[in-house]
PDB file of all heavy atoms in Angstrom:
ATOM      1  N   GLU N  99     -24.230-104.563  -6.384  1.00 96.00           N
ATOM      2  CA  GLU N  99     -23.057-105.404  -6.609  1.00 96.00           C
ATOM      3  C   GLU N  99     -21.950-105.143  -5.567  1.00 96.00           C
ATOM      4  O   GLU N  99     -21.504-106.060  -4.900  1.00 96.00           O
ATOM      5  CB  GLU N  99     -22.513-105.192  -8.007  1.00 96.00           C
ATOM      6  CG  GLU N  99     -23.490-105.532  -9.130  1.00 96.00           C
ATOM      7  CD  GLU N  99     -23.787-107.012  -9.192  1.00 96.00           C
ATOM      8  OE1 GLU N  99     -22.890-107.838  -8.975  1.00 96.00           O
ATOM      9  OE2 GLU N  99     -24.964-107.341  -9.449  1.00 96.00           O
ATOM     10  N   LYS N 100     -21.556-103.888  -5.463  1.00 96.00           N
ATOM     11  CA  LYS N 100     -20.469-103.574  -4.533  1.00 96.00           C
ATOM     12  C   LYS N 100     -21.004-103.627  -3.091  1.00 96.00           C
ATOM     13  O   LYS N 100     -22.219-103.579  -2.840  1.00 96.00           O
ATOM     14  CB  LYS N 100     -19.834-102.230  -4.834  1.00 96.00           C
ATOM     15  CG  LYS N 100     -20.755-101.066  -4.711  1.00 96.00           C
ATOM     16  CD  LYS N 100     -20.047 -99.777  -5.143  1.00 96.00           C
ATOM     17  CE  LYS N 100     -21.054 -98.643  -5.126  1.00 96.00           C
ATOM     18  NZ  LYS N 100     -20.593 -97.432  -5.734  1.00 96.00           N
ATOM     19  N   GLU N 101     -20.085-103.694  -2.141  1.00 97.00           N
ATOM     20  CA  GLU N 101     -20.453-103.754  -0.728  1.00 97.00           C
ATOM     21  C   GLU N 101     -21.296-102.528  -0.386  1.00 97.00           C
ATOM     22  O   GLU N 101     -21.014-101.417  -0.769  1.00 97.00           O
ATOM     23  CB  GLU N 101     -19.187-103.799   0.146  1.00 97.00           C
ATOM     24  CG  GLU N 101     -19.497-103.986   1.616  1.00 97.00           C
ATOM     25  CD  GLU N 101     -18.240-104.114   2.458  1.00 97.00           C
ATOM     26  OE1 GLU N 101     -17.161-103.623   2.035  1.00 97.00           O
ATOM     27  OE2 GLU N 101     -18.335-104.753   3.510  1.00 97.00           O
ATOM     28  N   PHE N 102     -22.363-102.765   0.380  1.00 97.00           N
ATOM     29  CA  PHE N 102     -23.266-101.690   0.724  1.00 97.00           C
ATOM     30  C   PHE N 102     -22.650-100.836   1.817  1.00 97.00           C
ATOM     31  O   PHE N 102     -22.226-101.342   2.878  1.00 97.00           O
ATOM     32  CB  PHE N 102     -24.628-102.241   1.200  1.00 97.00           C
ATOM     33  CG  PHE N 102     -25.632-101.171   1.503  1.00 97.00           C
ATOM     34  CD1 PHE N 102     -26.323-100.552   0.483  1.00 97.00           C
ATOM     35  CD2 PHE N 102     -25.849-100.746   2.808  1.00 97.00           C
ATOM     36  CE1 PHE N 102     -27.254 -99.545   0.758  1.00 97.00           C
ATOM     37  CE2 PHE N 102     -26.770 -99.766   3.080  1.00 97.00           C
ATOM     38  CZ  PHE N 102     -27.468 -99.165   2.040  1.00 97.00           C
ATOM     39  N   ASP N 103     -22.593 -99.529   1.591  1.00 96.00           N
ATOM     40  CA  ASP N 103     -22.052 -98.558   2.521  1.00 96.00           C
ATOM     41  C   ASP N 103     -23.172 -97.538   2.783  1.00 96.00           C
ATOM     42  O   ASP N 103     -23.484 -96.738   1.902  1.00 96.00           O
ATOM     43  CB  ASP N 103     -20.828 -97.892   1.888  1.00 96.00           C
ATOM     44  CG  ASP N 103     -20.189 -96.839   2.761  1.00 96.00           C
ATOM     45  OD1 ASP N 103     -20.899 -96.056   3.459  1.00 96.00           O
ATOM     46  OD2 ASP N 103     -18.944 -96.736   2.755  1.00 96.00           O
ATOM     47  N   PHE N 104     -23.735 -97.567   3.972  1.00 96.00           N
ATOM     48  CA  PHE N 104     -24.889 -96.701   4.270  1.00 96.00           C
ATOM     49  C   PHE N 104     -24.564 -95.219   4.098  1.00 96.00           C
ATOM     50  O   PHE N 104     -25.273 -94.486   3.427  1.00 96.00           O
ATOM     51  CB  PHE N 104     -25.390 -96.984   5.705  1.00 96.00           C
ATOM     52  CG  PHE N 104     -26.551 -96.087   6.115  1.00 96.00           C
ATOM     53  CD1 PHE N 104     -27.798 -96.194   5.495  1.00 96.00           C
ATOM     54  CD2 PHE N 104     -26.371 -95.138   7.102  1.00 96.00           C
ATOM     55  CE1 PHE N 104     -28.828 -95.384   5.880  1.00 96.00           C
ATOM     56  CE2 PHE N 104     -27.417 -94.312   7.500  1.00 96.00           C
ATOM     57  CZ  PHE N 104     -28.652 -94.415   6.890  1.00 96.00           C
ATOM     58  N   ALA N 105     -23.460 -94.764   4.681  1.00 92.00           N
ATOM     59  CA  ALA N 105     -23.118 -93.338   4.605  1.00 92.00           C
ATOM     60  C   ALA N 105     -22.895 -92.898   3.171  1.00 92.00           C
ATOM     61  O   ALA N 105     -23.403 -91.857   2.731  1.00 92.00           O
ATOM     62  CB  ALA N 105     -21.904 -93.028   5.475  1.00 92.00           C
ATOM     63  N   ALA N 106     -22.130 -93.670   2.404  1.00 91.00           N
ATOM     64  CA  ALA N 106     -21.845 -93.293   1.030  1.00 91.00           C
ATOM     65  C   ALA N 106     -23.116 -93.325   0.186  1.00 91.00           C
ATOM     66  O   ALA N 106     -23.322 -92.462  -0.662  1.00 91.00           O
ATOM     67  CB  ALA N 106     -20.803 -94.243   0.445  1.00 91.00           C
ATOM     68  N   THR N 107     -24.001 -94.277   0.451  1.00 93.00           N
ATOM     69  CA  THR N 107     -25.199 -94.431  -0.371  1.00 93.00           C
ATOM     70  C   THR N 107     -26.264 -93.382  -0.019  1.00 93.00           C
ATOM     71  O   THR N 107     -26.783 -92.697  -0.906  1.00 93.00           O
ATOM     72  CB  THR N 107     -25.780 -95.842  -0.162  1.00 93.00           C
ATOM     73  OG1 THR N 107     -24.782 -96.796  -0.534  1.00 93.00           O
ATOM     74  CG2 THR N 107     -27.017 -96.056  -1.034  1.00 93.00           C
ATOM     75  N   TYR N 108     -26.564 -93.225   1.251  1.00 90.00           N
ATOM     76  CA  TYR N 108     -27.671 -92.349   1.658  1.00 90.00           C
ATOM     77  C   TYR N 108     -27.252 -90.891   1.838  1.00 90.00           C
ATOM     78  O   TYR N 108     -28.109 -90.037   1.983  1.00 90.00           O
ATOM     79  CB  TYR N 108     -28.350 -92.895   2.898  1.00 90.00           C
ATOM     80  CG  TYR N 108     -29.412 -93.935   2.558  1.00 90.00           C
ATOM     81  CD1 TYR N 108     -29.070 -95.243   2.267  1.00 90.00           C
ATOM     82  CD2 TYR N 108     -30.757 -93.571   2.452  1.00 90.00           C
ATOM     83  CE1 TYR N 108     -30.029 -96.169   1.925  1.00 90.00           C
ATOM     84  CE2 TYR N 108     -31.717 -94.473   2.117  1.00 90.00           C
ATOM     85  CZ  TYR N 108     -31.355 -95.792   1.841  1.00 90.00           C
ATOM     86  OH  TYR N 108     -32.309 -96.704   1.479  1.00 90.00           O
ATOM     87  N   SER N 109     -25.976 -90.592   1.778  1.00 84.00           N
ATOM     88  CA  SER N 109     -25.539 -89.197   1.816  1.00 84.00           C
ATOM     89  C   SER N 109     -25.910 -88.467   0.562  1.00 84.00           C
ATOM     90  O   SER N 109     -25.880 -87.243   0.507  1.00 84.00           O
ATOM     91  CB  SER N 109     -24.036 -89.092   2.083  1.00 84.00           C
ATOM     92  OG  SER N 109     -23.745 -89.493   3.398  1.00 84.00           O
ATOM     93  N   PHE N 110     -26.274 -89.188  -0.487  1.00 61.00           N
ATOM     94  CA  PHE N 110     -26.659 -88.558  -1.741  1.00 61.00           C
ATOM     95  C   PHE N 110     -28.104 -88.064  -1.690  1.00 61.00           C
ATOM     96  O   PHE N 110     -28.538 -87.392  -2.587  1.00 61.00           O
ATOM     97  CB  PHE N 110     -26.463 -89.504  -2.913  1.00 61.00           C
ATOM     98  CG  PHE N 110     -25.029 -89.792  -3.166  1.00 61.00           C
ATOM     99  CD1 PHE N 110     -24.495 -91.045  -2.915  1.00 61.00           C
ATOM    100  CD2 PHE N 110     -24.160 -88.778  -3.625  1.00 61.00           C
ATOM    101  CE1 PHE N 110     -23.129 -91.285  -3.148  1.00 61.00           C
ATOM    102  CE2 PHE N 110     -22.824 -89.046  -3.825  1.00 61.00           C
ATOM    103  CZ  PHE N 110     -22.311 -90.300  -3.618  1.00 61.00           C
ATOM    104  N   VAL N 111     -28.869 -88.473  -0.667  1.00 52.00           N
ATOM    105  CA  VAL N 111     -30.229 -88.011  -0.569  1.00 52.00           C
ATOM    106  C   VAL N 111     -30.222 -86.494  -0.499  1.00 52.00           C
ATOM    107  O   VAL N 111     -29.402 -85.893   0.213  1.00 52.00           O
ATOM    108  CB  VAL N 111     -30.930 -88.614   0.686  1.00 52.00           C
ATOM    109  CG1 VAL N 111     -32.325 -88.093   0.849  1.00 52.00           C
ATOM    110  CG2 VAL N 111     -30.957 -90.142   0.568  1.00 52.00           C
ATOM    111  N   ASN N 112     -31.118 -85.818  -1.163  1.00 46.00           N
ATOM    112  CA  ASN N 112     -31.085 -84.371  -1.271  1.00 46.00           C
ATOM    113  C   ASN N 112     -31.617 -83.698  -0.020  1.00 46.00           C
ATOM    114  O   ASN N 112     -32.732 -83.242   0.017  1.00 46.00           O
ATOM    115  CB  ASN N 112     -31.882 -83.940  -2.515  1.00 46.00           C
ATOM    116  CG  ASN N 112     -31.693 -82.445  -2.793  1.00 46.00           C
ATOM    117  OD1 ASN N 112     -30.723 -81.855  -2.320  1.00 46.00           O
ATOM    118  ND2 ASN N 112     -32.597 -81.878  -3.532  1.00 46.00           N
ATOM    119  N   THR N 113     -30.794 -83.656   1.010  1.00 44.00           N
ATOM    120  CA  THR N 113     -31.125 -82.906   2.236  1.00 44.00           C
ATOM    121  C   THR N 113     -29.989 -81.931   2.474  1.00 44.00           C
ATOM    122  O   THR N 113     -28.853 -82.168   2.098  1.00 44.00           O
ATOM    123  CB  THR N 113     -31.279 -83.827   3.464  1.00 44.00           C
ATOM    124  OG1 THR N 113     -30.053 -84.557   3.638  1.00 44.00           O
ATOM    125  CG2 THR N 113     -32.431 -84.789   3.291  1.00 44.00           C
ATOM    126  N   ALA N 114     -30.298 -80.822   3.110  1.00 40.00           N
ATOM    127  CA  ALA N 114     -29.266 -79.842   3.427  1.00 40.00           C
ATOM    128  C   ALA N 114     -28.235 -80.467   4.347  1.00 40.00           C
ATOM    129  O   ALA N 114     -28.566 -81.243   5.233  1.00 40.00           O
ATOM    130  CB  ALA N 114     -29.904 -78.627   4.072  1.00 40.00           C
ATOM    131  N   ARG N 115     -27.011 -80.122   4.168  1.00 45.00           N
ATOM    132  CA  ARG N 115     -25.912 -80.607   4.998  1.00 45.00           C
ATOM    133  C   ARG N 115     -25.189 -79.421   5.593  1.00 45.00           C
ATOM    134  O   ARG N 115     -25.007 -78.392   4.918  1.00 45.00           O
ATOM    135  CB  ARG N 115     -24.913 -81.416   4.182  1.00 45.00           C
ATOM    136  CG  ARG N 115     -25.483 -82.721   3.718  1.00 45.00           C
ATOM    137  CD  ARG N 115     -25.231 -83.765   4.787  1.00 45.00           C
ATOM    138  NE  ARG N 115     -25.870 -84.980   4.384  1.00 45.00           N
ATOM    139  CZ  ARG N 115     -26.598 -85.706   5.199  1.00 45.00           C
ATOM    140  NH1 ARG N 115     -26.787 -85.341   6.429  1.00 45.00           N
ATOM    141  NH2 ARG N 115     -27.125 -86.816   4.777  1.00 45.00           N
ATOM    142  N   MET N 116     -24.761 -79.577   6.800  1.00 39.00           N
ATOM    143  CA  MET N 116     -23.909 -78.525   7.402  1.00 39.00           C
ATOM    144  C   MET N 116     -22.537 -78.652   6.773  1.00 39.00           C
ATOM    145  O   MET N 116     -21.956 -79.727   6.807  1.00 39.00           O
ATOM    146  CB  MET N 116     -23.866 -78.701   8.894  1.00 39.00           C
ATOM    147  CG  MET N 116     -25.226 -78.619   9.537  1.00 39.00           C
ATOM    148  SD  MET N 116     -25.138 -78.797  11.309  1.00 39.00           S
ATOM    149  CE  MET N 116     -24.820 -77.129  11.741  1.00 39.00           C
ATOM    150  N   THR N 117     -22.036 -77.576   6.244  1.00 40.00           N
ATOM    151  CA  THR N 117     -20.783 -77.663   5.489  1.00 40.00           C
ATOM    152  C   THR N 117     -19.587 -78.024   6.388  1.00 40.00           C
ATOM    153  O   THR N 117     -18.587 -78.512   5.893  1.00 40.00           O
ATOM    154  CB  THR N 117     -20.465 -76.323   4.791  1.00 40.00           C
ATOM    155  OG1 THR N 117     -20.444 -75.281   5.776  1.00 40.00           O
ATOM    156  CG2 THR N 117     -21.546 -76.010   3.755  1.00 40.00           C
ATOM    157  N   THR N 118     -19.680 -77.801   7.656  1.00 40.00           N
ATOM    158  CA  THR N 118     -18.563 -78.063   8.551  1.00 40.00           C
ATOM    159  C   THR N 118     -18.696 -79.442   9.247  1.00 40.00           C
ATOM    160  O   THR N 118     -17.843 -79.764  10.028  1.00 40.00           O
ATOM    161  CB  THR N 118     -18.446 -76.999   9.624  1.00 40.00           C
ATOM    162  OG1 THR N 118     -19.633 -76.974  10.383  1.00 40.00           O
ATOM    163  CG2 THR N 118     -18.151 -75.648   9.039  1.00 40.00           C
ATOM    164  N   SER N 119     -19.740 -80.197   8.931  1.00 51.00           N
ATOM    165  CA  SER N 119     -19.968 -81.420   9.705  1.00 51.00           C
ATOM    166  C   SER N 119     -18.808 -82.418   9.549  1.00 51.00           C
ATOM    167  O   SER N 119     -18.429 -83.095  10.494  1.00 51.00           O
ATOM    168  CB  SER N 119     -21.273 -82.069   9.318  1.00 51.00           C
ATOM    169  OG  SER N 119     -21.264 -82.464   7.955  1.00 51.00           O
ATOM    170  N   GLY N 120     -18.233 -82.547   8.339  1.00 58.00           N
ATOM    171  CA  GLY N 120     -17.105 -83.468   8.172  1.00 58.00           C
ATOM    172  C   GLY N 120     -15.947 -83.098   9.046  1.00 58.00           C
ATOM    173  O   GLY N 120     -15.331 -83.970   9.677  1.00 58.00           O
ATOM    174  N   GLY N 121     -15.630 -81.821   9.119  1.00 80.00           N
ATOM    175  CA  GLY N 121     -14.544 -81.378   9.964  1.00 80.00           C
ATOM    176  C   GLY N 121     -14.833 -81.597  11.415  1.00 80.00           C
ATOM    177  O   GLY N 121     -13.994 -82.052  12.181  1.00 80.00           O
ATOM    178  N   ARG N 122     -16.060 -81.292  11.838  1.00 84.00           N
ATOM    179  CA  ARG N 122     -16.455 -81.494  13.237  1.00 84.00           C
ATOM    180  C   ARG N 122     -16.373 -82.966  13.617  1.00 84.00           C
ATOM    181  O   ARG N 122     -15.888 -83.322  14.685  1.00 84.00           O
ATOM    182  CB  ARG N 122     -17.879 -80.998  13.473  1.00 84.00           C
ATOM    183  CG  ARG N 122     -18.034 -79.503  13.411  1.00 84.00           C
ATOM    184  CD  ARG N 122     -19.466 -79.087  13.607  1.00 84.00           C
ATOM    185  NE  ARG N 122     -19.895 -79.334  14.957  1.00 84.00           N
ATOM    186  CZ  ARG N 122     -21.096 -79.795  15.316  1.00 84.00           C
ATOM    187  NH1 ARG N 122     -21.975 -80.088  14.401  1.00 84.00           N
ATOM    188  NH2 ARG N 122     -21.386 -79.968  16.585  1.00 84.00           N
ATOM    189  N   TYR N 123     -16.839 -83.828  12.737  1.00 86.00           N
ATOM    190  CA  TYR N 123     -16.797 -85.291  12.997  1.00 86.00           C
ATOM    191  C   TYR N 123     -15.373 -85.745  13.171  1.00 86.00           C
ATOM    192  O   TYR N 123     -15.036 -86.409  14.151  1.00 86.00           O
ATOM    193  CB  TYR N 123     -17.483 -86.027  11.863  1.00 86.00           C
ATOM    194  CG  TYR N 123     -17.402 -87.534  12.028  1.00 86.00           C
ATOM    195  CD1 TYR N 123     -18.278 -88.192  12.876  1.00 86.00           C
ATOM    196  CD2 TYR N 123     -16.444 -88.259  11.344  1.00 86.00           C
ATOM    197  CE1 TYR N 123     -18.209 -89.554  13.060  1.00 86.00           C
ATOM    198  CE2 TYR N 123     -16.352 -89.621  11.528  1.00 86.00           C
ATOM    199  CZ  TYR N 123     -17.234 -90.284  12.377  1.00 86.00           C
ATOM    200  OH  TYR N 123     -17.135 -91.646  12.572  1.00 86.00           O
TER     201      TYR N 123
END
């Protein structure tokens, strides 16, 4: 229903994330 947002939707996939990536970006 809501507008599709790739990052918001697929970031929930259970893969390891670098904890500092948001800050680096």
